[in-house]
Amino acid sequence: MILVLKEGITHEEKDRIRSTLRGEGYLVREMSDAGRSLLGAIGEATQDLDFFERLAGVERVIPISSAFKLASRKMHPQNTLVHVGDAVIGGERIVVIAGPCAVESREQALATGREVKKYGAVLFRGGAFKPRTSPYTFQGLGEEGLIILAEIREELGLGVVTEITSPAQADMMMKYVDMVQVGARNMQNFELLKCVGRMGKPVFLKRGLSATIEEWLMSAEYILSEGNDHVVLCERGIRTFEPYTRNTLDLSAIPVIKNLTHLPVVIDPSHATGMREKVSPMARAAIAAGADGLMIEVHHEPDKALSDGPQSLYPIQFGQLMRDIYVIAPVVGKQLDFGYLEKAKAVKHMNATRGDGDRRAAFLGELGTFSHKACTQYFGTDVRAEPMSSFAQIFEAVKRGDVDFGVVPLENSLTGSIHENYDHLLEYDLRIIGEITLRIMHHLIGHPEGKIETIQRVLSHPQVFQQCRQFLEQHPEWELVSAKDTATAVRRIKEGGALSDAAIASKVAAEVHGMAVFQEGIETNPRNYTRFVVISTRPFENGPRRKSSLIYSTGNRPGALFETLKIFAEKGINLVKLESRPIHGKPWEYMFYVDLEADIESPSFRPVIDELEKRTDYLRVLGSY
Ligand code: PEP
Ligand code: MN
């Protein structure tokens, strides 16, 4: 059961409740939800609920009716984040685990590891103890395979995941790997579950071939009840009557799991389908359905694989799939980050060299704004998001070194460029070191006790009203009140307390302030994306450099702009953006803002820069990222 505690509860009252619960034989967990303190109590019911409801400091008691308790979302309303190597599973960045079915040799594992890393995998998989249907097929390299996995981690910097098939392997696993997998065939091997619970390493728990979701969550409960919270669930297909695929991928498990539990869910389309050409369509669908990640079998030479070759992707197919996921993820509010590992490494390096271990990124507005989301999606949990009240303040803070990074919007797909930030880019001597694009979905948000019919005033940022015009035109009686940003709008209606007030903002803003979403997705055009850039005083050392941004001005003579563009055309450099901005104090003269698909600062493009310098009056490379 969950005990919701009164708002002004004293420490003494809380301690007394805790010891009463322990006295009754309950395991007690402390939690919070939207700022409220909760106590979770797990164990056999000894008293009626009223007994607990009468304890001083308790507001109400919510029973947990499901068989699984620690795994229940009621016990832990926020998503659990599982840290493995440099990756975090369960956050807003998709984690892709890839590698061969089995580690066959050092060369095979390294060759495949290099390929999957190149295309954006952040964890490496490979079996050393293989649970094969036939005792006459390849059983895995055993400890030698684990040693190879540890070498992969050293050499490539990828965390490694492998299957444990017996508690006798626990010591070896502790020594060599970052996450242990409990395979489908062992999902109800309770001794093994208890063992991995006690190991304390992250556990990748596959769903059994014929397990119900409840049975699967009860297996997770075994691990959690040993005190190990680092559990990732993996749907890998269940046995049905359908013979055209190896198993049947239960994609509907994703929303079911998301509702029932706080644990992350990853999809394995390789074992689910058993056929290479079916893997990518199912992987794409899984991301669209809300999976936190994917486990994909990839082999550098699938035709020679000692196990599961027919379902293993060729590296190039894996690369294509990753590009698809990169496009799909923002539609469902997530990201596939090709710079994931470099970024984590760079931040770690900064922590090590500067000592304080506290990296910060400034964004505009309050918690729950889209800028905040851009910040947390770009950096994950490695960097603290620091709210600021103006764009100029963000640029100043980065320049002074008060923060390490700034995250600022540059353009929206519907309303165009945010010119103020272009002007700041010109004014401040800072670098663009990354970019992130978010889908902007607006929701009508109000008080949990309010309703849409009684709304009189709606608060939001003026640009948001513009983006929701069609919806707002259906309610001409509503007074539109401008707010600094979307999250501020939600905070103000909460503080004001009037049930006739509503706000337009993101779902996160509603969650942060414990408010209700009355209507989802009220923006006129659902293809509403904002591109943010990350600014800093220096670039990431080994970050991805797919794109570059430049600013330049040319003389006011015929063909001046054309001459610069010709340089890019002749070198086959793709231009993805070209925009002009008036130069302050020089009427009718313009600066050009250019984005290119090339690492313009690499030595091979030096001649391009030299040529550009000759044909421009002013030239600055804002960054390659
Ligand atoms: C595997 O991941 O290689 C494996 C054997 O998976 P499953 O347990 O899902 O069959
Ligand atoms: Mn396999």
Side-chain angles (χ1 to χ4, degrees), residues 101 125 130-131 163 181 183-185 206 236 268 271 295 297 308:
C101 180
R125 64 147 287 149
K130 293 305 300 176
E163 179 164 354
Q181 172 173 326
R185 291 154 194 82
K206 288 204 164 187
R236 43 78 71 208
D268 168 357
H271 293 90
M295 174 178 261
E297 283 189 347
D308 286 348

Side-chain angles (χ1 to χ4, degrees), residues 1-30 37-41 49 51-61:
M1 64 188 160
I2 313 271
L3 280 67
V4 181
L5 305 180
K6 287 198 173 132
E7 227 147 305
I9 186 170
T10 64
H11 281 301
E12 294 72 37
E13 281 174 331
K14 209 169 178 179
D15 283 344
R16 231 171 293 132
I17 299 169
R18 232 187 265 122
S19 62
T20 307
L21 289 168
R22 293 216 177 96
E24 295 289 330
Y26 286 100
L27 177 73
V28 183
R29 290 276 175 110
E30 265 196 62
S37 283
L38 313 171
L39 284 179
L49 288 189
F51 170 82
F52 300 102
E53 224 144 27
R54 283 197 302 269
L55 296 175
V58 174
E59 189 176 290
R60 70 200 149 94
V61 177

Side-chain angles (χ1 to χ4, degrees), residues 268-311:
D268 168 357
S270 307
H271 293 90
T273 63
M275 279 165 280
R276 186 176 302 131
E277 75 277 10
K278 315 253 183 310
V279 169
S280 294
M282 289 297 95
R284 293 192 293 260
I287 296 306
D292 296 297
L294 297 167
M295 174 178 261
I296 310 278
E297 283 189 347
V298 180
H299 197 292
H300 76 303
E301 291 174 323
D303 308 324
K304 296 188 187 153
L306 297 181
S307 64
D308 286 348
Q311 70 194 31

Side-chain angles (χ1 to χ4, degrees), residues 241-533:
F241 47 80
E242 177 53 63
Y244 273 113
T245 47
R246 180 174 173 179
N247 291 289
T248 297
L249 179 59
D250 181 11
L251 277 181
S252 58
I254 300 170
V256 173
I257 287 285
K258 283 280 161 209
N259 185 35
L260 292 177
T261 178
H262 50 89
L263 299 172
V265 59
V266 166
I267 294 294
D268 168 357
S270 307
H271 293 90
T273 63
M275 279 165 280
R276 186 176 302 131
E277 75 277 10
K278 315 253 183 310
V279 169
S280 294
M282 289 297 95
R284 293 192 293 260
I287 296 306
D292 296 297
L294 297 167
M295 174 178 261
I296 310 278
E297 283 189 347
V298 180
H299 197 292
H300 76 303
E301 291 174 323
D303 308 324
K304 296 188 187 153
L306 297 181
S307 64
D308 286 348
Q311 70 194 31
S312 298
L313 295 188
Y314 288 92
I316 192 99
Q317 291 177 310
F318 177 67
Q320 186 53 52
L321 169 63
M322 294 296 273
R323 289 169 65 85
D324 291 347
I325 302 298
Y326 177 78
V327 175
I328 295 168
V331 177
V332 291
K334 297 202 174 131
Q335 297 290 328
L336 181 82
D337 186 348
F338 287 117
Y340 203 124
L341 294 175
E342 282 88 356
K343 235 180 265 172
K345 220 183 313 153
V347 171
K348 250 196 233 163
H349 180 70
M350 288 165 89
N351 286 343
T353 49
R354 287 200 262 152
D356 58 2
D358 179 21
R359 300 281 73 86
R360 283 173 295 162
F363 69 94
L364 181 74
E366 302 193 357
L367 301 189
T369 56
F370 288 102
S371 291
H372 178 222
K373 189 171 169 143
C375 204
T376 56
Q377 283 204 353
Y378 187 81
F379 290 108
T381 48
D382 293 343
V383 168
R384 193 146 59 89
E386 190 85 21
M388 301 262 155
S389 57
S390 71
F391 291 133
Q393 209 184 354
I394 296 176
F395 279 80
E396 271 300 323
V398 176
K399 182 180 137 193
R400 281 200 310 263
D402 297 349
V403 295
D404 302 280
F405 312 102
V407 178
V408 292
L410 266 198
E411 55 181 330
N412 176 269
S413 57
L414 302 179
T415 48
S417 290
I418 291 116
H419 290 126
E420 182 186 342
N421 284 329
Y422 275 104
D423 293 343
H424 290 320
L425 281 172
L426 185 62
E427 184 187 335
Y428 287 86
D429 188 19
L430 296 172
R431 309 255 324 168
I432 296 180
I433 62 159
E435 66 172 346
I436 182 166
T437 299
L438 293 193
R439 178 176 173 197
I440 307 296
M441 278 184 85
H442 296 306
H443 308 295
L444 185 68
I445 293 164
H447 289 267
E449 319 81 61
K451 31 181 211 291
I452 196 164
E453 293 75 20
T454 53
I455 293 175
Q456 288 172 12
R457 289 194 332 153
V458 179
L459 281 72
S460 199
H461 190 273
Q463 216 186 44
V464 176
F465 292 137
Q466 225 177 308
Q467 292 176 4
C468 301
R469 206 175 51 218
Q470 238 171 54
F471 173 79
L472 291 170
E473 273 168 7
Q474 296 165 31
H475 302 278
E477 72 283 8
W478 290 353
E479 181 195 347
L480 304 181
V481 181
S482 137
K484 205 157 55 122
D485 58 67
T486 52
T488 302
V490 180
R491 181 173 53 74
R492 276 176 57 191
I493 65 161
K494 169 151 187 169
E495 286 169 3
L499 297 190
S500 55
D501 278 353
I504 302 178
S506 72
K507 208 175 260 176
V508 180
E511 279 161 16
V512 165
H513 295 288
M515 301 296 267
V517 173
F518 289 165
Q519 192 154 333
E520 287 191 16
I522 57 166
E523 68 279 8
T524 306
N525 188 335
R527 285 196 186 174
N528 185 7
Y529 292 89
T530 296
R531 176 174 163 252
F532 295 79
V533 290

